[in-house]
Amino acid sequence: MTDPAAAAEPTVLVRARAGLGRLTLNRPRAINALDLGMVRLMHEALDAWEHDVDVDVVLLDGAGDRGLCAGGDVRGLAEQVTSGRADDAAVFFREEYALNARIAEYPKPFVAFADGITMGGGIGVAGHASIRVVTERSQLAMPETRIGFTPDVGGTWLLAHAPGRLGEYLGLTGAVMDASDAIYAGFADHFVPHENLDGFRDALETRADPSLSELVLLFDETPPRSKLEDARGWIDDAFAADTVPGIVERLRARSEPEAAATADLLGELSPTGLAVTLAAVRSARRLPGLRAALEQEYGLVMWFATTQPDLAEGIRAQVVDKDRDPHWSPATLADLAPDLAASALSFRPSIPLWG
């Protein structure tokens, strides 16, 4: 039997106390996956707190013990795309991306606890915070190519500024980062053991002295060495190739078992998603800032939503039917049109992102 009180609980818990405005994503059964209502609740809270002299720090965390946020509501996205309601998807993307930019530009310190699973849309609300905290439980990723899609929510901006060719690697493979990897790749700033998060929250409320930066350092610990750092040799070599087929060829030429496994993985993913993602990350390196990257991503996601079958097919295979047997169109990298990525990057939605 459903508990009426639980059913009526808001999907984002919003409260302020002792100078701390706290946002808790509150859909734990869905690992706090974002929907439009949640995005709007966060916008409303940030608007209210921006000029509230009683709130000087904002904290974002997630309900439940599985993670901060598993991403966006991809089931809903697939239904919108397949039913011809891409305009509804566009509304969500515009408001979500505005939230991503708002968090990055917020005039008060914004602390995000990326504890547990933090992927896709979760990166959008945590990865642009001014203070990004990870724990030994953290699992961060931009896994969009796994569903025939491309990284968004400002993910290409973060990927573009990761060391070496890690951005291409993480974007194309959707590889999961632990805390050490996330800090090394530029997706997080501080490592705080999970058992110390409650103490950190309490300190944010009760602090008078030391300053916020000094307080963070009191809880910050040194994580283990990043596995990504140790893998830079084969990653940088292979993912510097001009094209996805070139990357696969270089991976096959490497002696590391991880390189061969990566080549096998790329062979299973959407050729369209891979080609567009490679172009998007490299294009983002030349953009002036996060807002420009979000605008580029908005054009790409709407290109996928309105012209490409792989998005709905990938969600079907990975999330809905869970048969893990997507049928991509086109099926191979060799079948891609030479100008596909350029065509995607030049797509302009009928309603602009920033308008």
Side-chain angles (χ1 to χ4, degrees):
M1 180 178 295
T2 301
D3 179 354
E9 196 168 58
T11 53
V12 178
L13 304 180
V14 179
R15 57 264 200 232
R17 176 184 173 188
L20 179 67
R22 186 172 170 191
L23 298 169
T24 300
L25 306 182
N26 190 37
R27 295 181 65 205
R29 293 182 63 183
I31 320 182
N32 305 313
L34 295 173
D35 60 23
L36 184 58
M38 297 169 74
V39 169
R40 287 176 172 171
L41 287 170
M42 295 175 72
H43 271 297
E44 291 172 4
L46 294 179
D47 287 346
W49 290 338
E50 180 172 357
H51 301 292
D52 186 341
V53 296
D54 293 326
V55 173
D56 52 23
V57 177
V58 175
L59 169 65
L60 173 70
D61 57 14
D65 60 3
R66 298 173 68 189
L68 172 66
C69 176
D73 179 8
V74 293
R75 284 176 179 266
L77 174 59
E79 196 278 327
Q80 290 168 341
V81 170
T82 56
S83 63
R85 295 187 293 114
D87 287 349
D88 292 342
V91 171
F92 173 74
F93 288 131
R94 287 196 297 272
E95 297 198 29
E96 182 186 27
Y97 296 1
L99 177 63
N100 304 149
R102 184 106 167 89
I103 289 170
E105 298 164 358
Y106 205 61
K108 298 180 179 182
F110 192 108
V111 182
F113 285 177
D115 182 36
I117 294 171
T118 305
M119 299 184 181
I123 297 291
V125 294
H128 308 301
S130 50
I131 298 173
R132 304 167 299 176
V133 175
V134 285
T135 76
E136 74 280 4
R137 301 171 68 251
S138 294
Q139 301 176 60
L140 278 67
M142 296 300 302
E144 287 78 9
T145 57
R146 306 293 181 100
I147 58 168
F149 203 29
T150 190
D152 65 332
V153 298
T156 60
W157 180 251
L158 297 172
L159 293 167
H161 294 87
R165 298 294 179 169
L166 291 183
E168 284 94 334
Y169 167 75
L170 294 167
L172 268 64
T173 65
V176 176
M177 296 174 276
D178 62 16
S180 302
D181 293 337
I183 292 172
Y184 181 71
F187 280 70
D189 306 302
H190 303 284
F191 175 75
V192 177
H194 172 78
E195 65 181 6
N196 294 342
L197 289 182
D198 286 342
F200 194 0
R201 289 188 191 95
D202 292 343
L204 287 171
E205 286 189 358
T206 58
R207 76 189 190 289
D209 191 42
S211 68
L212 179 59
S213 59
E214 293 171 331
L215 177 63
V216 172
L217 292 177
L218 289 176
F219 287 88
D220 190 15
E221 297 188 10
T222 302
R225 183 179 172 85
S226 164
K227 295 184 292 294
L228 284 180
E229 184 175 4
D230 291 334
R232 281 281 303 280
W234 66 266
I235 288 175
D236 286 359
D237 172 59
F239 284 85
D242 291 339
T243 65
V244 180
I247 290 171
V248 173
E249 182 179 355
R250 290 194 186 189
L251 288 169
R252 296 290 184 202
R254 299 288 308 191
S255 61
E256 295 86 353
E258 297 87 352
T262 300
D264 290 343
L265 171 63
L266 294 181
E268 300 171 359
L269 302 179
S270 160
T272 300
L274 293 175
V276 171
T277 296
L278 181 63
V281 171
R282 291 180 173 173
S283 175
R285 288 199 179 104
R286 301 188 297 270
L287 295 176
L290 174 62
R291 280 184 174 265
L294 287 164
E295 185 173 23
Q296 174 178 278
E297 292 169 355
Y298 176 61
L300 292 176
V301 300
M302 293 310 300
W303 179 82
F304 273 95
T306 58
T307 72
Q308 300 299 306
D310 279 3
L311 174 57
E313 172 62 9
I315 295 173
R316 179 206 65 75
Q318 300 295 335
V319 180
V320 180
D321 297 340
K322 298 182 179 179
D323 59 17
R324 306 294 190 265
D325 185 29
H327 297 276
W328 306 124
S329 179
T332 70
L333 290 165
D335 293 330
L336 288 177
D339 63 346
L340 177 129
S343 175
L345 285 169
S346 66
F347 182 82
R348 295 295 178 266
S350 57
I351 300 176
L353 176 59
W354 313 117

